[in-house]
Amino acid sequence: RTIGDRIGEAKASGNLGNTLKILGQFDEAVVCCQRHLDISQEQGDKVGEARALYNIGNVYHAKGKHLSWNMAQDPGYLTQEVKETLQKASEYYERNLSLVKELGDRAAQGRAYGNLGNTQYLLGNFSEAIAFHKERLAIAKEFGDKAAERRAYSNLGNAHIFLGRFDISAEYYKKTLQLSRQLKDQAVEAQACYSLGNTYTLLQDYERAIEYHLKHLVIAQELGDR
């Protein structure tokens, strides 16, 4: 501010916002991120503006998750405050998405789609969540980003469960399992086995359910995860 560096001030405000978000001071975080947005717009800095929109989305997303943890309910069964907070997150992610499309930034589009999928899932809009996660999946494949691809499969599996499409969920969870093995991520592998066990229980294929739950158990024991 002393040297009149507006872009520097914008970035510093954004960093403050992100730090306050991590500290759980969501309302103060929004103020700082909004300052980042205002200055970026004033300076015609499209990249900064996109980043600020994404960050504000993140703050509302984190606040929504934080508020809903206290209730531990299924997606879609939310208080008015949580619903409004997640809707705000969604609106900022949408604005970010249209701007990064304009900028031709595919990687940023992938991130926006993933977060839109997650907020719509929490809001109980499972069909919308699926559409966003499919977009996320396509971009992850484009970049050869196996970790993002794995997350997308996992999220697609979860959303299909709530639509009662258990067989489709099982296919997505199998892809999650395959990728977690490729990535040598045992904790995620265990989680995928757990999801498959539950899905096959819902499909009333108990033999297979037992098979996957046993795999889950073995990894949990290997990792010493009580």
Side-chain angles (χ1 to χ4, degrees):
R1 277 181 182 160
T2 310
I3 61 171
D5 175 1
R6 294 293 277 167
I7 299 278
E9 185 185 338
K11 283 181 183 165
S13 299
N15 289 336
L16 269 171
N18 290 339
T19 310
L20 287 162
K21 177 196 79 180
I22 294 164
L23 290 169
Q25 296 171 28
F26 303 115
D27 298 339
E28 289 162 65
V30 169
V31 173
C32 292
C33 291
Q34 184 65 48
R35 181 133 189 84
H36 184 190
L37 179 62
D38 294 341
I39 299 173
S40 300
Q41 284 172 334
E42 166 208 303
Q43 297 290 315
D45 173 9
K46 292 282 192 191
V47 174
E49 185 182 341
R51 198 160 290 152
L53 288 167
Y54 182 77
N55 288 344
I56 298 174
N58 274 343
V59 175
Y60 283 120
H61 195 170
K63 183 182 179 180
K65 279 202 284 200
H66 177 78
L67 291 169
S68 62
W69 281 337
N70 307 332
M71 300 180 302
Q73 286 163 339
D74 282 339
Y77 297 96
L78 305 166
T79 65
Q80 198 51 38
E81 188 190 4
V82 174
K83 220 176 248 181
E84 282 166 13
T85 304
L86 289 170
Q87 268 154 359
K88 270 186 190 161
S90 218
E91 280 159 31
Y92 280 100
Y93 287 142
E94 290 272 14
R95 285 173 64 187
N96 165 262
L97 179 61
S98 67
L99 191 48
V100 293
K101 275 183 178 171
E102 201 184 299
L103 294 166
D105 186 340
R106 286 295 277 168
Q109 287 169 45
R111 288 191 291 277
Y113 280 126
N115 282 317
L116 278 163
N118 291 335
T119 47
Q120 290 305 311
Y121 173 81
L122 290 171
L123 283 163
N125 303 330
F126 302 113
S127 301
E128 287 91 332
I130 286 165
F132 286 128
H133 284 308
K134 281 184 173 166
E135 294 283 359
R136 175 68 191 111
L137 179 63
I139 294 174
K141 284 179 171 174
E142 234 174 80
F143 280 89
D145 184 343
K146 294 288 185 195
E149 193 183 332
R150 199 274 309 152
R151 286 195 300 275
Y153 283 133
S154 208
N155 289 327
L156 283 161
N158 295 343
H160 278 93
I161 288 281
F162 282 95
L163 292 176
R165 299 183 192 148
F166 307 134
D167 46 346
I168 299 175
S169 285
E171 292 313 306
Y172 281 124
Y173 288 141
K174 279 180 195 162
K175 288 185 165 140
T176 306
L177 181 58
Q178 227 175 333
L179 276 173
S180 64
R181 285 176 177 157
Q182 271 181 38
L183 293 163
K184 298 189 170 34
D185 187 335
Q186 278 198 296
V188 173
E189 185 183 340
Q191 184 63 52
C193 291
Y194 175 79
S195 298
L196 277 161
N198 288 341
T199 307
Y200 280 114
T201 300
L202 292 167
L203 286 164
Q204 299 183 338
D205 184 344
Y206 301 115
E207 291 299 318
R208 276 169 110 173
I210 288 168
E211 202 183 300
Y212 281 112
H213 283 310
L214 282 170
K215 283 179 182 167
H216 176 210
L217 178 62
V218 169
I219 299 172
Q221 286 169 336
E222 266 177 42
L223 295 174
D225 182 342
R226 301 282 288 174

